[in-house]
Amino acid sequence: MATYDFIVSGMDPEMALEGAASTDAEAWREAILFLSEMLREKPVREGGAFSLQVIVRNKGREICRVGASAH
């Protein structure tokens, strides 16, 4: 298992979390699942703009960047 940093922006304040995964692909899937959880919990107004992003890094190397937005 490797330790990954999950940087979440679009929320106030920006968050940096650590998580463990056995592969980069698993960390990527975790980022998508985490983003989907944030979308379920975020109060979205009709026509309300938002932008959320999760960046996954391992030892400073960017693994992936996933995001969701509405304008």
Side-chain angles (χ1 to χ4, degrees):
M1 290 289 235
T3 301
Y4 290 84
D5 297 316
F6 293 81
I7 296 97
V8 181
S9 61
M11 301 182 69
D12 202 21
E14 185 173 282
M15 295 186 300
L17 309 166
E18 281 190 357
S22 56
T23 64
D24 289 352
E26 184 181 332
W28 178 76
R29 283 190 295 275
E30 288 297 320
I32 291 171
L33 290 171
F34 185 56
L35 182 63
S36 69
E37 283 181 34
M38 291 187 327
L39 288 170
R40 277 193 297 270
E41 294 176 6
K42 181 171 181 51
V44 178
R45 297 180 321 228
E46 186 175 324
F50 71 91
S51 178
L52 296 171
Q53 179 172 260
V54 179
I55 301 168
V56 181
R57 292 188 180 134
N58 177 266
K59 298 179 183 172
R61 177 177 60 98
E62 187 171 312
I63 305 303
C64 68
R65 189 179 292 241
V66 295
S69 63
H71 301 278

